[in-house]
Amino acid sequence: MNVSIVGSGYVGTTVAACLADLGHEVVTIDIDKDIVNAVNDGESPIHEPGLDDLVAEHGGGRLRASTDYEDIRDTELTMLALPTPSNDDGSIDLQFMEAGAASVGEALAGAERSADDPHLVVTKSTVVPNTTKDRLAPRIADAGLERGTDFLVASNPEFQREGTAVADFLNPDKLVFGTDDDRATDLLYELYAPLREAADGDVPVVETGIAEAEMIKYANNTFLATKVSLINDIGNICKEFGVDAYEVADAIGLDDRIGEQFLRSGVGWGGSCFPKDTDAIIAAAREQGYDPAVLSAAVELNDAQPERLLSLLDTHADVSGKRIAVLGLAFKPGTDDIRNTRAVPVIEGLQERGADIVAYDPVATENMRERYPDIQYADSAATALGGASGAVVVTDWDEFAALDAEFDDMADPIVVDGRRVIERREGITYEGLTW
Ligand SMILES: NC(=O)c1ccc[n+]([C@@H]2O[C@H](COP(=O)([O-])OP(=O)(O)OC[C@H]3O[C@@H](n4cnc5c(N)ncnc54)[C@H](O)[C@@H]3O)[C@@H](O)[C@H]2O)c1
Ligand SMILES: O=c1ccn([C@@H]2O[C@H](COP(=O)(O)OP(=O)(O)O[C@H]3O[C@H](CO)[C@@H](O)[C@H](O)[C@H]3O)[C@@H](O)[C@H]2O)c(=O)[nH]1
């Protein structure tokens, strides 16, 4: 198939490269010339394991990028993979989606199409229920097009995680096709046919309505975020009793109804999705007159975990004027993404306490330096720990688990672990956040 993807960021580039690898002809449209040039030169514009190879193989060939929306005219369907950030009140900001939809409409309006061959516009981005129908379809139609005749709309949310995005896209737990027209459903089946054939096992397809598909994405993300907040709540109770929350989690995870994943308690959830999506669906629900109590509590608890981590440090040392190591800056291991990382409230809490911060991350240092140019950055965990009067662990990078003799070089070996990566050992004062 000929496919276009508007927005060549984390999702757009990953989906485009994977679809090209599966045999489709794909063009991504982005307003950022550097991204467009990178893709055409076979270079991945983002840090994502496995993506470099795919873009190197297909970039400039079956995978092209362009700044020109008119390139979507030669394609059968267009996916919108544009940002959906938060407004100040947490509600979804649809300005990029509406601008993209309007540009798609203008490009399609200038194309020659037969009435029995409408272009399918698919919402890949995460949007609150009814956005595609009420906010995006009208922007496309503004160019003088008629929905159902000139174009169709659908929702096909994406469940890939950063750090494992390529593998997640190619082997999804499910595909969700939100449509209200059989022609749209057929096109989505055609698009995903090579993926379903190549996938490791059966890939179930959920055929549903457009708004249901949009809501499934929020239900998925908020369920997982709340699961982590719940295990953090339980973990905080465990800490009060001197009980190991990880032994408790391992045991309850054996119950199929609970499941073993997303039971790692600690300093909380961050990233480009959980925080903004939870805020967006809470704001959307409130606009409808419903206040989601459990989701609000999940956010509140998540916001409090970094301060709990620092309070534990306070019980061992007054950090004012002391060198404190922050190990891990990315919101999770495997990525250089610092969007909504828990490292930010930890750094700000340490700054409020007057600590002299030295931070280390294997790949996210440069991104954090742009945000906090005034703190010190070390080029290794060993350098960060050397002479420090305390250390906090924020990201569960594997390399932190191997640290050992490095603690001997601390001025005062106090380690407060927010991710359970460091083993308790002789010679250090160790506090786990929930164990
Ligand atoms: N990042 C993830 O892992 C992930 C996973 C699932 C779903 N999502 C959702 O997918 C959507 C996109 O997220 P992302 O992380 O890929 O965003 P991103 O910021 O990485 O990428 C968006 C891209 O859109 C481009 N852009 C902005 N305005 C444009 C316009 N008018 N026309 C063309 N291009 C334009 C930007 O230059 C950027 O390259 C969001 O709704 C997000 O919630 C993200
Ligand atoms: O047991 C756990 C699991 C995760 N986390 C934290 O939760 C956050 C999110 O982690 P993860 O879900 O692995 O990463 P994302 O890349 O943000 O992926 C989520 O957000 C994406 C964007 O919507 C979705 O597509 C994915 O399905 C969804 O898992 C990170 O800060 C993790 O440290 C924990 O604290 N404990």
Side-chain angles (χ1 to χ4, degrees), residues 18 41 81 179 310 417:
C18 290
D41 289 345
T179 64
L310 295 177
D417 190 350

Side-chain angles (χ1 to χ4, degrees), residues 332-356:
K332 64 185 260 191
T335 180
D336 62 353
D337 197 340
I338 58 161
R339 287 179 285 182
N340 270 308
T341 173
R342 300 296 83 193
V344 164
V346 167
I347 286 171
E348 289 181 352
L350 286 171
Q351 282 178 327
E352 277 164 25
R353 287 165 169 78
D356 178 14

Side-chain angles (χ1 to χ4, degrees), residues 7 9-11 30 35 69 82 84 125-126 158 160 162 276:
Y10 279 88
V11 170
D30 206 290
I35 289 180
Y69 270 84
L82 292 163
T84 50
S125 299
T126 304
E158 180 53 48
Q160 64 184 237
E162 286 182 32
K276 89 168 166 59

Side-chain angles (χ1 to χ4, degrees), residues 6-12 29-32 35 46 69 80-84 96-97 99-100 103 124-127 158-162 165 217 221 272-273 276-277 337 339:
V6 176
S8 199
Y10 279 88
V11 170
I29 312 290
D30 206 290
I31 48 174
D32 186 326
I35 289 180
I46 54 158
Y69 270 84
L80 300 177
L82 292 163
T84 50
F96 302 102
M97 295 299 288
S103 300
K124 197 54 159 162
S125 299
T126 304
V127 295
E158 180 53 48
F159 300 94
Q160 64 184 237
R161 292 161 294 177
E162 286 182 32
K217 175 65 193 179
N221 270 3
S272 67
C273 292
K276 89 168 166 59
D277 292 348
D337 197 340
R339 287 179 285 182

Side-chain angles (χ1 to χ4, degrees), residues 126 158-163 168 217 220-221 224 228 231-232 246 261-274 276-277 331-333 340-342 394 396 419:
T126 304
E158 180 53 48
F159 300 94
Q160 64 184 237
R161 292 161 294 177
E162 286 182 32
D168 287 350
K217 175 65 193 179
N220 220 94
N221 270 3
L224 290 171
V228 177
I231 199 64
N232 284 341
Y246 275 66
Q261 294 192 57
F262 276 66
L263 289 180
R264 293 185 59 82
S265 54
V267 71
W269 36 271
S272 67
C273 292
F274 281 3
K276 89 168 166 59
D277 292 348
F331 85 90
K332 64 185 260 191
N340 270 308
T341 173
R342 300 296 83 193
V394 181
D396 34 349
R419 296 290 184 188

